[in-house]
Amino acid sequence: MPSGWRNSPSQHQTVSYSTTDETFVVGYRFARSGLHVEVDGVALNDVRLIKEGSHGVVIRINGMQTFYRCHKDDLVWYVSTNAGAVTFTEAPRFPTAVVAVPTGSLLAPMPGRVVSVEAAAGDTVTAGQTVVVIEAMKMEHTIAAPSAGILESVDVAVGDQVEANQILASLVATA
Amino acid sequence: MGRLPDVTPITKLLVANRGEIAARIFKTCKEMGIATVAVFSDADEEAPFVVMADEAVALGGNTATESYLNIDKIISAANRTGATAIHPGYGFLAENAGFANACDAAGIVFVGPSPQTIASMGSKIKAKNIMRNAGVPTLPTAQPADADSIGYPLLVKASAGGGGRGMRIVESPADLETAVAGASREAEASFGDGTVFLEKYLPRPRHIEVQILGDAHGNMTSLYERECSIQRRYQKIIEEAPSPAVSEDLRYRLCEAAVAAGQASGFIGVGTVEFLVEGNRFYFLEVNTRLQVEHPVTEMITDVDLVREQIMIAEGHPLSPELSDAEVDGHSVEARIYAEDPTQDYLPQTGKLIEWRLPDTVRVDSGVARGSTVSPHYDPMLAKVIAWGPSRAEAIRTLATALRKAEIKGVVTNRDLLVNILDHPDFKAGDADTSFLRTNDPAELGKSTLTRQEVINSAVAVAIFAQEHAFRLAQLTVAASNCLLLHH
Amino acid sequence: MPRIHSQVDRNSDSFKSNVAGNTVLLEEFEALMAKSRSGGGDKYIERHRKRGKLLVRERLELLLDRDSPFLELSPLAAWGQDFPLSASCVTGIGVVNGVECAISGHDPTIRGGSSNPITLAKTLRLQDIARANRLPLINLVESGGADLPTQADVWLPGGKWFRNLTQMSKAGIPTVALVFGSSTAGGAYVPGMCDYAVLVKDRSKVFLGGPPLVKMATGEEATDEELGGALMHSTVSGLGDYYATDEYEAIRMGRDIVGHLNWRKLGQAPGSFVEPAEDSEDLLGIIPTDLKKPFDMREVIARIVDASEFDEYKATYGTSLITGWATVHGYPVGIIANQQGVIFSPEAEKATEFIQLCNQYDQPIVFIHNVTGYMVGKEYEQGGIIKDGAKMINAVANSEVPHIALMAGASYGAGNYGMSGYGYEPRFVIGWPNYKGAVMGGEQLAGVLSIINRAAAEARGQDIDEEQEAARRQMIEMQIEKESSAYYNTGRVRDDGLIDPRDTRPTLGLLLSAIHNNEVKGTNQWGVFRM
């Protein structure tokens, strides 16, 4: 079974490799007519896999045949040829989405009663610093600042009954 | 023939060092039939040199102070194993008079000169005075207060220094005070001695040194010069022998001065006299009373095993007559592979070497092997690669090709910088002086030796290799998963 | 095992003309395949991308393990009909995190990914495949719901879609919905009925009724997000099991879900194998473009099976039909192939025995069709061809090992039944682009009708208008030719897709591997055989 076999091929297999200066998106597909390769969307002429082994491949690109010795360490690839070496970092297939630090509103995790307010509007707080404590179902829940910042407002007072997801305080994060 | 000298053969030798130099010394010991003892820190417990020795004693700890600089532990290791001699290698305790004394006190042969010689040559100020008195040319020096007596530019140097630490170049009087204070602070931190002095500064000298050997019977000889001008921050990275800049006449004068210097210091052993050379003039820099890192280039052109000579001198042998007959045969170049990134201000690199392979066209004095961990505890030099050729150009070619082909993976090294220097027209022409890596940008010279197209092709090769590799793995796991992936 | 040694002469005129003819046929096929991949056209693709969304095939490729094979099913569904080619969706079998899965994805660039009757047929067919072969089913959802102009043909049969999902769940076959966009009205039941629902932040919209419908129904004012947003479903309603920040994360979550299924195939593992000794390229020179010309099935088999090795059963008896054993990608199979088109009594008996043997030893059977039917005529009727054909159909119908039908050439009349055609529920029906299937050949059918017409006219004492009769005959012939074409059948999802003949081996390998997710077990219970 050819690698990446498709009865209806719609695209190349792609993977992107970065040096410290540059990123190359390599696309490849093994087809009946041979190996198709493109880099950054530009097709390379006449690429052939001549020989494969556990430590490298012999590849002919446009007539030039080279033995590439390849080693992998996690997402880092070390390639060496007789002309020298290069190190690539492979982009993960599923990049971790940049999760915005949930600053802004501090919400009540469940309905309860405010038992303590430990900071006031205008206070500078550090990440993890307790702002409000609520009691619900006989348990105390600490609502802490998710990041360092300045409290824009504290919207509850001791003794207040709060709903789930009610805003307890607002924070402006500092860089 | 006079009477036979009093020779005491060394039966078991402990190397108070690590890495490539320990391995290098063990190799000669093996050839001479001397039993070997390694000492090692916790960080080095899996290092190749430990395995090479017949016996190995754990010193414990990771820092140099806890291990390779700990005199008590090392003497105790020698006693426990019955080692009759200690070779200090270079660095660590190699030029520590106290250690040489401790060996004497314990009845162990110290492979090196006497504590007195070490002490006198260890102080740069003292050493200079001795040389000046012996008629060896020296650079004018002064105390920080007398800067004007030597003029600018000048160099602030630590009296106890080495390796570039505690050094400052001063271009004008206004900068002097800060430079002296800084150098002193650094010297204090590095060597425990903040004494500094001033020296005439040559902006573009060559660094040329002469190998000397002296025995206990008053004989002293030299084994020609080594050129060590390619330095990054006073750290040599490429050395060669002979120097392309030394004429027959200069060679004669240098060697003569070096022997005179050795004799003036009562030197016994294998040492090096370093000079700064400008044109036909040279100035004494310092005496290194130990084996140099770059000693292999001398060995390659003279066919002398300097470690064997060291041991024989320590055993009481007179210098063999072949030494004075040794002639220069061909040319040798050495490159030092460091775990450091020249494109990032030589930032030291650590990690695990997942591959380490060099062609057999060159001599490799290596402290690491595939799988070795490069730790942050010691000097980041991994190995020396030494090539020989009938001519300088051929030696350079062999070395450059070998370095290009070298597979060094898992840790960033200065390999590409070395290749690009060896390829540089100034270096090839023999015109590179100590300013080479200041006038050429190491960040540029340190870049990959591959063209952009070669880099692109390499990316393609990785992609193809990766998918082939995935198939191989899938085939191995077929019995377990037994799905579509398996076939090829 | 004995090896088939090819007798093909690559320099012969027939070989060369077959290559030339097939090359033209395959160019036409490739053009249709390219069209099937083109989605809703540049304008809609551009709009989709501008919204920062991945195309359905990009989602699919990311879902699949890198470098793993994928077999797309029914790519030419809706051919020759008023619906877009491929029927606005992609279905197929591929490997996700080391597990073979049935995967279906809406193409939102085609009429918003809405489901027309062919979309439904294609989707239901994939569900059948997933159930029969015990493949986890992954749905890449983004659809505006039923195609309203054809709702009458979608609504009632469409109920089966959701019934299948929950019945699969009951049978222990995992179902996963990755919801990339709208999944509303009836479509909301896809994440609703699946074992796992992954919703994408700010993208997924899952509700029974959108804001206008709610306003109409109850007068309530509500936003999309309030009614069916990903965050709402992940924090309030609990419909969402996994909350993804973007499409990439949703796909990764889908892969992780499959990863934790602890999936074990129930069928046997394949043995090691070697590739065929004969070159599959030769198939283009072996298969005639004119189906009236028979071709040597041993030459075809030699290019499909491992090492070109084929252990033929009853090679010298009933020679119009070939039976025997081989392995394909390491999976043992029985092969039944039509050598000369017609099935006579000995062929029918031979096939019956062979099917029983394969059931005895739990071997899947590949039927290679090039069949014109059971032999007619006095001699054969009197010789009991019906009884013998009935034996074969009895065996095919009651056989419980998986069948794969490969439509290689003709497949006419009851011959199609005896060879485990569509109606006999083989696990898969795969065709070459030039196959034909009908009750009989167009020419014969038109001829038969003509004879009947003449007889009727004679009975009424009328004269025949020869010119009119010829035109009528030609018209019928053309209609039958069209309706029996591979494209016509594949367009109506009466097979699982057409393939380039040179892809036959990888396709069979994939199908056999997929089949072995379920238990492969034969039977020894049959209907009453007529003797």
Side-chain angles (χ1 to χ4, degrees), chain B residues 391-414:
Chain B
S391 66
R392 181 172 187 266
E394 287 158 296
I396 292 172
R397 177 187 67 189
T398 301
L399 183 59
T401 303
L403 287 172
R404 267 199 197 90
K405 288 187 182 182
E407 283 188 81
I408 304 167
K409 297 173 176 181
V411 178
V412 174
T413 69
N414 64 338

Side-chain angles (χ1 to χ4, degrees), chain A residues 1-16 28 32 90-99 165, chain C residues 33 37 57-58 61-62 64-72 245-246 248 251-252 255 281 329 500 502-503 506-507 510:
Chain A
M1 184 85 59
S3 161
W5 181 87
R6 299 285 182 273
N7 60 324
S8 186
S10 64
Q11 55 203 277
H12 287 33
Q13 302 276 326
T14 58
V15 54
S16 103
Y28 59 92
R32 195 173 284 115
E90 179 180 325
R93 210 172 163 209
F94 299 95
T96 323
V98 182
V99 182
N165 288 323
Chain C
M33 292 292 275
R37 293 188 292 263
R57 283 169 194 277
E58 292 169 343
E61 291 287 343
L62 272 171
L64 296 170
D65 289 358
R66 199 172 253 165
D67 304 318
S68 69
F70 177 75
L71 179 71
E72 186 174 335
T245 43
D246 58 18
Y248 289 93
I251 294 166
R252 183 186 56 70
R255 290 176 52 78
E281 258 331 284
H329 283 281
D500 185 314
R502 293 168 293 183
D503 281 338
T507 302
L510 256 115

Side-chain angles (χ1 to χ4, degrees), chain B residues 24 213 223 295 298-307 309 322-323 326:
Chain B
R24 160 75 190 88
L213 300 92
L223 270 181
H295 73 273
T298 299
E299 296 184 326
M300 299 294 276
I301 60 160
T302 59
D303 203 25
V304 170
D305 180 336
L306 288 170
V307 175
E309 297 304 325
E322 295 90 64
L323 284 175

Side-chain angles (χ1 to χ4, degrees), chain C residues 6 32 38 58 61 69 108 157 165 172 196-198 234 266 280 290 294 324 367 387 404 438 455 488-489:
Chain C
S6 181
L32 283 170
S38 64
E58 292 169 343
E61 291 287 343
L165 287 174
Y196 300 91
V198 178
S234 303
L266 300 183
S280 67
D290 179 359
F367 293 83
K387 291 201 304 181
I404 296 173
Y488 186 90
N489 282 300

Side-chain angles (χ1 to χ4, degrees), chain C residues 356-374:
Chain C
Q356 287 183 293
L357 287 170
C358 287
N359 273 270
Q360 203 82 290
Y361 307 118
D362 307 328
Q363 285 151 335
I365 306 171
V366 178
F367 293 83
I368 309 181
H369 288 233
N370 190 13
V371 59
T372 51
Y374 289 90

